[in-house]
Amino acid sequence: MIEVNGISKKYGSHYALKNVSFKAGKGDMVGVLGRTGAGKTTLMDIITGCIIPSSGNVTVDGYDVFKKPIDAKKRIGYLPQSTPLYEKMTVKEQLMFACRLMRVPEKKLHAMTDMVMEKAKITDVGNDLIGNLSNGLKRAAGLACTLCGDPEILIFDEPTDGLAPEQIIEIRTTIRSLKHDHTVILASHSLHEVAEVCEKVVIINKGEIVLEDMLGNVTSTVNDQRRVMVRLVTDKKSGLRLLNGIDGADNVEYIGSKEQGTCDFIVESLNKDVREKIFHAAAKADIVLLCINSMSVTLQDIFLQLTGEDKEMAV
């Protein structure tokens, strides 16, 4: 449905995007995940034909976005990060305008407008001025515009950015409901949003893709890493010496002390369960093992490992 082939975008000597390629098939829900400034918005603008890349091409249902723009764009609904609405229009007027841009026949305008308002849950404010709406309702109206013309492909750039928690839930629920009828690409800096809404993730870092996989396969991409948190009644040096001597412990990290006289550690291993070995090693060394807890590898862990970043991602 969408093929992004070797896209690069250069501003002077700086690459906003560098040799980016990925695919989204019919019915896919793809999350493009990255920090602010990673290149997500630039990529969304290129996919939708809003800006031209320095190199590479994008095809939508077989049509080149830059050589056959009308054929490609009529298949795309796009909600950019800044919701493009006319504040002096009513919601219905805005949606009818959007339908005409998508070349919806006049005789179908009212039915299409009613349908997209219902999907976006804004039927009750159809006659209200855009300028009088809350930020959440404006975003929902923008989402409804994206649905005008019933395009096969929907692209959302930070769809819940700056919204209240209850509004975030509503927008995410609406987007999830679209997956059976549309191919969806959602660009976000929020790990939780991508994990909750999407089925496939493309992680982008400093303009380059560092991972493309189904979310269910992501942990295997980082070698099926296992992690346990260990609390020992000992000092840091003795604890590190004990745990680093465990067969199968590939990485040991001291993470501080939560109880007096104890030290906490994270032990990582590849394809091995080292909990029993830790228990026996602690007993042999006459060190009290207070607790040992399995820790799942999260999307945040994977992001940090692949990008080498140490700052916490948004949730």
Side-chain angles (χ1 to χ4, degrees), residues 16-173:
L17 294 170
K18 192 170 184 180
N19 196 31
V20 170
S21 299
F22 72 94
K23 295 181 181 180
K26 187 173 183 178
D28 283 353
M29 297 280 287
V30 180
V32 177
L33 175 65
R35 298 176 186 277
T36 301
K40 303 184 303 297
T41 294
T42 300
L43 180 57
M44 299 304 105
D45 284 345
I46 289 174
I47 291 174
T48 54
C50 296
I51 62 175
I52 298 173
S54 302
S55 60
N57 72 294
V58 179
T59 59
V60 173
D61 201 18
Y63 294 99
D64 189 299
V65 170
F66 308 106
K67 294 180 180 179
K68 297 282 187 179
I70 294 177
D71 291 313
K73 290 181 181 181
K74 71 181 182 181
R75 290 166 168 80
I76 298 174
Y78 182 31
L79 179 61
Q81 189 169 4
S82 298
T83 314
L85 300 171
Y86 290 100
E87 299 214 339
K88 298 300 182 181
M89 286 185 176
T90 66
V91 172
K92 285 184 178 179
E93 289 169 342
Q94 173 73 63
L95 294 174
M96 292 184 77
F97 174 68
C99 285
R100 290 188 175 102
L101 289 178
M102 293 298 286
R103 302 188 177 186
V104 175
E106 287 291 323
K107 62 182 180 180
K108 295 183 178 180
L109 280 178
H110 290 284
M112 176 66 69
T113 299
D114 290 342
M115 182 192 74
V116 299
M117 284 196 298
E118 184 177 353
K119 284 190 174 182
K121 300 178 177 62
I122 55 170
T123 302
D124 292 345
V125 296
N127 294 317
D128 292 4
L129 287 175
I130 297 287
N132 293 337
L133 300 180
S134 66
N135 286 337
L137 285 172
K138 285 180 181 178
R139 202 60 175 157
L143 191 153
C145 286
T146 305
L147 301 176
C148 289
D150 197 24
E152 300 161 78
I153 298 160
L154 303 175
I155 297 178
F156 303 102
D157 187 7
E158 301 285 4
T160 62
D161 194 32
L163 300 185
E166 65 275 11
Q167 296 168 337
I168 291 174
I169 292 170
E170 290 176 3
I171 294 292
R172 288 176 182 173
T173 300

Side-chain angles (χ1 to χ4, degrees), residues 244-260:
N244 278 311
I246 301 292
D247 180 31
D250 296 288
N251 184 59
V252 178
E253 179 186 357
Y254 170 70
I255 58 171
S257 175
K258 297 291 180 66
E259 296 182 56
Q260 187 175 0

